[in-house]
Amino acid sequence: MNELTESQQIIANAMSEAELQANVDDALRKAGAQYVYHTHKSRYSERSMPDTFAVLDGRLIFIENKREKGKFIPAGETPRTHRYQPGQLDIMEIILATGKAEVYSMRPSEWLAGKMELIISGLFPNLQADIAELRGK
């Protein structure tokens, strides 16, 4: 990926998750994805599901979008249902363990550095290589 300029880093820090989500969805559609989905009202959905699900050339792709300094939801009891729910990284690992899907995280700086193009082209390594680093953030 490309290193960001100072002005790109300012843009990354200001980009909302909704803006990032729109960019990711748009890029997948422009790349010819047969299906792109994200939940608009997450309060009615199971917690921790990645933001975007897409089918692109027979590949199942899940992407969790985060603001530049956003944190992953940890495992724990939900306030509404008081049920234990796995955290976002747990769900991403569960999806990866199927061996049938690709899972990625995306931050504005990564978007601006070209990570999405690498994902679309199949050249970016799957999240499994990054999971330990993500757990440390």
Side-chain angles (χ1 to χ4, degrees), residues 46 76-78 80-85:
E46 286 294 318
E77 194 174 277
T78 62
R80 246 180 339 165
T81 65
H82 301 289
R83 290 185 348 212
Y84 174 84
Q85 291 282 295

Side-chain angles (χ1 to χ4, degrees), residues 6-115:
E6 188 176 327
S7 60
Q8 285 176 313
Q9 192 59 57
I10 291 169
I11 292 167
N13 290 337
M15 189 181 294
S16 71
E17 190 171 318
E19 290 172 301
L20 179 60
Q21 178 74 55
N23 289 336
V24 166
D25 291 356
D26 189 49
L28 287 163
R29 285 188 181 98
K30 284 181 179 173
Q34 292 81 9
Y35 185 74
V36 177
Y37 172 83
H38 77 270
T39 303
H40 290 275
K41 300 263 184 201
S42 61
R43 68 178 179 210
Y44 300 115
S45 301
E46 286 294 318
R47 180 176 117 156
S48 301
M49 186 66 182
D51 296 313
T52 299
F53 166 72
V55 178
L56 175 65
D57 299 327
R59 298 163 53 205
L60 303 176
I61 300 172
F62 292 84
I63 301 174
E64 176 58 37
N65 299 299
K66 288 288 176 202
R67 288 189 61 119
E68 195 60 27
K69 300 205 187 299
K71 298 193 183 316
F72 289 89
I73 295 172
E77 194 174 277
T78 62
R80 246 180 339 165
T81 65
H82 301 289
R83 290 185 348 212
Y84 174 84
Q85 291 282 295
Q88 287 179 313
L89 292 175
D90 301 319
I91 294 297
M92 294 164 87
E93 286 178 318
I94 289 167
I95 294 168
L96 274 175
T98 67
K100 299 178 181 178
E102 300 170 35
V103 184
Y104 305 95
S105 64
M106 182 71 67
R107 293 188 185 275
S109 59
E110 294 171 323
W111 166 263
L112 293 169
K115 182 176 180 179

